[in-house]
Amino acid sequence: MTISQQHVDAALDAACRVARQIGVPMNVAVLDNAAHLKAFVRMDGSLLGSIDIALGKARTAALFGMATEAVGEFCKPGGTSPGLDQTNGGLVVFAGGIPFHAPDGTFLGAVGVSGGAVSQDLQVAQAAAAAASSI
Amino acid sequence: MTISQQHVDAALDAACRVARQIGVPMNVAVLDNAAHLKAFVRMDGSLLGSIDIALGKARTAALFGMATEAVGEFCKPGGTSPGLDQTNGGLVVFAGGIPFHAPDGTFLGAVGVSGGAVSQDLQVAQAAAAAASSI
Amino acid sequence: MTISQQHVDAALDAACRVARQIGVPMNVAVLDNAAHLKAFVRMDGSLLGSIDIALGKARTAALFGMATEAVGEFCKPGGTSPGLDQTNGGLVVFAGGIPFHAPDGTFLGAVGVSGGAVSQDLQVAQAAAAAASSI
Amino acid sequence: MTISQQHVDAALDAACRVARQIGVPMNVAVLDNAAHLKAFVRMDGSLLGSIDIALGKARTAALFGMATEAVGEFCKPGGTSPGLDQTNGGLVVFAGGIPFHAPDGTFLGAVGVSGGAVSQDLQVAQAAAAAASSI
């Protein structure tokens, strides 16, 4: 099983629905499991500076197959891998990037969300990843 | 008037409808009039190498306010501006990137399409730009 | 309303006047609200290394619609977004970049100032942003 | 003698005056003789894609101490230095970048102009360089 438009639709619909519920326009990126761009939406009124962050979160989550903040654990002060965030052309290592999988566990891709407070980005990304994983 | 989700929806719907009609999965990028990414979709089965081309076509059309092949006229052999395509971090100067405007003439943004033959890319981009311009 | 030469003239005049008052030659960048360069001046005798900093401060303030040091709050030690300053090709997150708005609240652009102590940069940037906002 | 605000004022005033006479809003960059940015103006209504071109023309003229189209002679088909335009991070080798000198022949800097047809860019750049050279 590979990522398809169905996963994209589910992820973007869920992300935009939650973003509207909390009243924060978001940038949402969906990448495949090889970290190539599959879909992107910048909701009306969201920050320009968050475009690159949403893309970077999704790329980080796709490249490492884990949530962005989990990647951040390795490179935080005292972590095992200082400067890890400087590899791969620059990673984004705070919350808002999440990989998603098929029901059989196949790694399909990752979402990245940016536009609000980090906790809001995470909330939207979790909704998007859960929706994409349910297909 | 500025670009909104309505323009994006119209452009992507039209692009994907024509792409399905001609049986060629496409990459479609929509940028605002300052060349910032607004939306992107890679249809299932389309080429990975076309992601960057679609983005580049849209960026070129947005930066110069004209179709990509019109920009290409300036830098073709014998043109007035050799190497123009190497500016702005690299332009894409063959057909498939088209600016779109509001009914009152306001420049709103640009679409970029890549995935098939250039004539197919152009056909899909024209449909997308026309749909976005009709709102 | 969009940025115009009037805003640029007001910003640069105010910036250079204050810079001369405090006796510190400055680099001053003015960007539009999509972070594209609108105007720049390097006053005689100012530091070469400050050119890029002034541009970066203005770009940071334009991309996030807030003062550079406010962006810095997110990525300082213990902040919510470690490494935010590494996104968007590199941000500048100390004081001296300030967005400015029209009297009706429309976001018009941002100024970035560098050349002196950070407190001096901030003083000059505040004068520039206030002048541009008064038009 | 080194470049000063007087040269910048003379160059920008002349450039903008001619640009208005021919009715084409221009981007005008002024660099010092070490190719560092000294001043820049994007006239209201000029193309976003021309920002980078104006900067690139001025940089090319400053780095080689000759007009951009003269640099282009070396790398045109049949020229002695194919690919020269790919060096230095990318040069711009069509007309519109011109070095300027003090009356005693000292090399002071270069102007770069972009926004219209190449012949118009050249006309504006010549006016700017002449004005800066007359001080």
Side-chain angles (χ1 to χ4, degrees):
Chain A
M1 192 180 196
T2 59
I3 192 171
S4 74
Q5 188 63 38
Q6 282 188 297
H7 301 98
V8 168
D9 290 342
L12 293 182
D13 286 356
C16 292
R17 188 179 60 245
V18 175
R20 280 189 293 265
Q21 284 172 355
I22 63 177
V24 181
M26 293 287 187
N27 292 271
V28 186
V30 183
L31 272 62
D32 66 24
N33 63 8
H36 291 293
L37 185 60
K38 177 68 179 163
F40 177 87
V41 63
R42 169 161 52 106
M43 294 174 69
D44 295 344
S46 65
L47 285 171
L48 290 181
S50 286
I51 298 171
D52 186 62
I53 299 173
L55 291 166
K57 285 179 177 176
R59 195 168 57 83
T60 300
L63 286 172
F64 289 89
M66 64 180 78
T68 44
E69 68 273 28
V71 179
E73 287 296 307
F74 295 104
C75 50
K76 71 179 182 184
T80 59
S81 311
L84 174 65
D85 52 321
Q86 302 301 317
T87 67
N88 292 280
L91 302 172
V92 179
V93 296
F94 50 96
I98 306 180
F100 57 88
H101 303 78
D104 69 357
T106 305
F107 174 34
L108 294 177
V111 297
V113 176
S114 181
V118 172
S119 60
Q120 294 170 321
D121 296 350
L122 176 59
Q123 182 182 355
V124 172
Q126 286 173 330
S133 294
S134 70
I135 294 175
Chain B
M1 191 179 198
T2 59
I3 193 171
S4 73
Q5 188 62 37
Q6 282 187 298
H7 300 98
V8 167
D9 290 343
L12 293 182
D13 286 356
C16 292
R17 187 179 62 247
V18 175
R20 279 190 293 266
Q21 284 171 356
I22 63 176
V24 181
M26 293 287 189
N27 292 272
V28 186
V30 184
L31 273 62
D32 65 24
N33 64 8
H36 288 293
L37 184 60
K38 178 68 179 161
F40 178 87
V41 63
R42 168 161 52 105
M43 295 173 69
D44 295 342
S46 67
L47 288 169
L48 288 182
S50 287
I51 299 170
D52 187 61
I53 298 173
L55 291 165
K57 286 178 178 177
R59 195 167 58 83
T60 300
L63 286 173
F64 289 90
M66 64 181 78
T68 43
E69 68 272 28
V71 179
E73 287 295 306
F74 295 106
C75 50
K76 69 180 182 184
T80 59
S81 311
L84 174 65
D85 52 319
Q86 301 301 316
T87 66
N88 290 281
L91 302 171
V92 180
V93 295
F94 51 95
I98 305 180
F100 58 87
H101 303 77
D104 69 357
T106 306
F107 175 33
L108 294 177
V111 296
V113 176
S114 180
V118 172
S119 60
Q120 294 171 320
D121 295 351
L122 176 58
Q123 182 182 355
V124 171
Q126 286 172 330
S133 294
S134 69
I135 294 176
Chain C
M1 191 180 199
T2 58
I3 193 172
S4 73
Q5 188 63 37
Q6 283 187 297
H7 301 99
V8 168
D9 290 342
L12 294 182
D13 286 356
C16 292
R17 187 180 62 245
V18 175
R20 280 189 293 267
Q21 284 171 355
I22 63 176
V24 181
M26 293 288 187
N27 292 272
V28 186
V30 184
L31 272 62
D32 65 25
N33 64 7
H36 289 292
L37 185 60
K38 178 69 179 160
F40 178 87
V41 64
R42 169 160 52 104
M43 295 174 70
D44 295 343
S46 67
L47 288 169
L48 288 183
S50 287
I51 299 171
D52 186 61
I53 298 173
L55 291 166
K57 285 179 178 176
R59 195 167 58 84
T60 299
L63 286 173
F64 290 90
M66 64 180 78
T68 43
E69 68 273 28
V71 179
E73 287 296 306
F74 295 105
C75 50
K76 70 180 182 184
T80 59
S81 311
L84 174 65
D85 51 319
Q86 302 300 317
T87 66
N88 289 280
L91 302 171
V92 180
V93 296
F94 51 96
I98 305 179
F100 58 87
H101 303 77
D104 69 358
T106 305
F107 175 34
L108 295 177
V111 297
V113 176
S114 180
V118 173
S119 61
Q120 294 171 320
D121 296 351
L122 176 59
Q123 183 182 355
V124 171
Q126 286 173 331
S133 295
S134 70
I135 294 176
Chain D
M1 192 179 198
T2 59
I3 193 173
S4 74
Q5 188 63 37
Q6 283 188 296
H7 301 97
V8 167
D9 290 342
L12 293 182
D13 286 355
C16 293
R17 187 178 62 246
V18 175
R20 280 190 293 266
Q21 284 172 355
I22 63 175
V24 180
M26 293 288 189
N27 292 273
V28 186
V30 183
L31 272 61
D32 65 24
N33 63 7
H36 291 293
L37 185 60
K38 177 69 179 161
F40 178 87
V41 64
R42 167 160 54 106
M43 294 174 70
D44 295 343
S46 66
L47 286 172
L48 289 181
S50 286
I51 298 171
D52 186 64
I53 299 173
L55 291 166
K57 285 179 178 176
R59 196 167 57 83
T60 299
L63 285 173
F64 289 90
M66 65 180 78
T68 43
E69 68 272 30
V71 179
E73 288 295 308
F74 295 104
C75 51
K76 69 180 183 185
T80 59
S81 311
L84 173 65
D85 52 321
Q86 302 301 318
T87 67
N88 290 281
L91 302 172
V92 179
V93 295
F94 50 97
I98 305 180
F100 57 88
H101 303 77
D104 68 358
T106 305
F107 174 34
L108 294 177
V111 296
V113 176
S114 180
V118 172
S119 60
Q120 294 171 320
D121 296 351
L122 176 58
Q123 182 182 355
V124 172
Q126 285 172 331
S133 294
S134 69
I135 295 176

